[in-house]
Amino acid sequence: MNDLKILFEPTDEKPYLIIDKPAGLPSAPLFPEDNDNMLSIACKSFPQIQNVIGKKKIEYGLLHRLDTPTAGLILIACKQDFYDYMQDLQQNGQFIKYYHAVCDYIPDNAEKLEGFANAKKIDSDEILDAEKNSIIKAESYFRPYGKNGKEVRPVTEDSGMAALKKIGKKTLYSTDVKILKIKDGKVYVECKISKGFRHQVRCHLAWLGLPVCGDQLYNSNYKNGNDIGAKKNAGNLMFAASRIEFEYPRGDLNSYDRKDTWT
């Protein structure tokens, strides 16, 4: 199936497909004739996906997306009842997603990028305390930012009316960040979310002062070209959707792990 790695194929009891999407491949088509994306490739081998009616007609049973530069696990429904079930689970925050990332430690990253409300910095003591595996939480609303809304920015109740008016539906999004280790000046983290917004984890990490290595949108070194070495390696995003967990049927926990090599 081209470059797609299948972690789970649909069965009668569990009618879903789990794919490990490679970095650089879009998750879904932008228009009906677009075939250069993960979903269209998957439909060639699993045509039953196209029998599912999703949020968008051309997205069928796709239950969530990953940004094009992000590698990792994606869940696709192959039957309508499973799709509807997972929609309810997602609304209730019971579809759990984990991400692994290699980050730079740039305490003033948010200030350098601008548009971040009330920068939520992690101090050096928290970084060095990684062995305790304590959870650092970032929580905010989100608003589009920049040219054509290509980026997002966190918004809090203290952000002011102008920013709050841009968030649309007032939904709080939370990212739990666990520092796994520090190696060669880089910070290795695992992030957990139960509800997701576009660029949520990458933006929250940038807000904390832990922008992802290779992130041209949210890492001030890469975006502003302050670091020659960083600029040279820009685009090699060290970020992946590493694990997903959900109950199906209820009471039966399903957990799938990409087993990243970074950590």
Side-chain angles (χ1 to χ4, degrees):
M1 232 179 101
N2 290 13
D3 294 326
L4 299 187
K5 181 179 179 181
I6 308 299
L7 263 69
F8 185 86
E9 294 192 9
T11 65
D12 290 338
E13 294 77 20
K14 296 186 176 183
Y16 55 80
L17 176 68
I18 297 177
I19 291 175
D20 185 354
K21 184 187 83 68
L25 183 68
S27 295
L30 296 175
F31 49 88
E33 294 77 25
D34 181 9
N35 295 313
D36 189 17
N37 60 84
M38 181 219 63
L39 183 63
S40 296
I41 295 170
C43 285
K44 293 177 182 178
S45 296
F46 302 94
Q48 64 268 43
I49 294 170
Q50 299 172 85
N51 295 327
V52 180
I53 300 172
K55 289 183 178 179
K56 293 183 179 180
K57 185 176 180 180
I58 60 175
E59 292 190 359
Y60 307 116
L62 185 66
L63 284 158
H64 59 116
R65 293 167 172 243
L66 292 177
D67 304 323
T68 297
T70 301
L73 305 188
I74 292 184
L75 176 66
I76 305 171
C78 296
K79 284 189 177 179
Q80 190 68 49
D81 58 353
F82 177 76
Y83 180 89
D84 296 340
Y85 169 86
M86 287 302 302
Q87 286 297 311
D88 289 340
L89 229 58
Q90 291 195 86
Q91 287 296 318
N92 294 324
Q94 295 173 301
F95 179 24
I96 310 300
K97 307 176 189 75
Y98 293 84
Y99 300 80
H100 278 89
V102 182
C103 304
D104 289 314
Y105 178 48
I106 309 175
D108 59 349
N109 185 69
E111 288 89 343
K112 288 180 177 179
L113 293 179
E114 302 180 347
F116 283 78
N118 307 315
K120 185 179 176 65
K121 300 177 185 177
I122 298 178
D123 63 38
S124 57
D125 289 338
E126 289 179 276
I127 298 292
L128 295 173
D129 228 9
E131 296 81 12
K132 293 185 179 180
N133 283 329
S134 58
I135 300 298
I136 301 161
K137 185 181 292 289
E139 187 173 64
S140 72
Y141 309 115
F142 281 103
R143 66 181 175 100
Y145 184 83
K147 186 176 181 181
N148 300 319
K150 186 178 180 181
E151 302 174 38
V152 299
R153 289 292 187 268
V155 177
T156 69
E157 291 292 346
D158 297 327
S159 296
M161 290 304 298
L164 286 166
K165 285 180 179 179
K166 297 177 181 178
I167 65 175
K169 186 178 179 181
K170 203 170 183 180
T171 302
L172 272 174
Y173 295 92
S174 179
T175 304
D176 290 345
V177 181
K178 179 190 289 186
I179 298 172
L180 301 176
K181 67 178 180 181
I182 303 165
K183 182 179 179 182
D184 299 328
K186 303 298 181 183
V187 184
Y188 291 67
V189 302
E190 178 184 73
C191 302
K192 174 185 175 182
I193 65 172
S194 58
K195 288 186 178 180
F197 193 87
R198 178 171 64 97
H199 297 177
Q200 174 182 331
V201 179
R202 290 163 59 192
C203 184
H204 271 166
L205 285 170
W207 193 29
L208 292 170
L210 291 173
V212 177
C213 295
D215 195 334
Q216 297 181 65
L217 294 181
Y218 300 107
N219 187 318
S220 58
N221 279 348
Y222 294 77
K223 187 170 183 179
N224 298 329
N226 296 328
D227 185 298
I228 295 175
K231 189 174 182 181
K232 181 179 179 181
N233 293 311
N236 182 24
L237 188 70
M238 301 296 284
F239 180 74
S242 53
R243 187 161 91 246
I244 56 176
E245 293 180 348
F246 57 93
E247 288 188 2
Y248 185 79
R250 292 197 182 276
D252 183 7
L253 180 63
N254 298 274
S255 181
Y256 299 90
D257 196 329
R258 184 175 184 262
K259 300 190 185 304
D260 284 300
T261 56
W262 296 335
T263 54

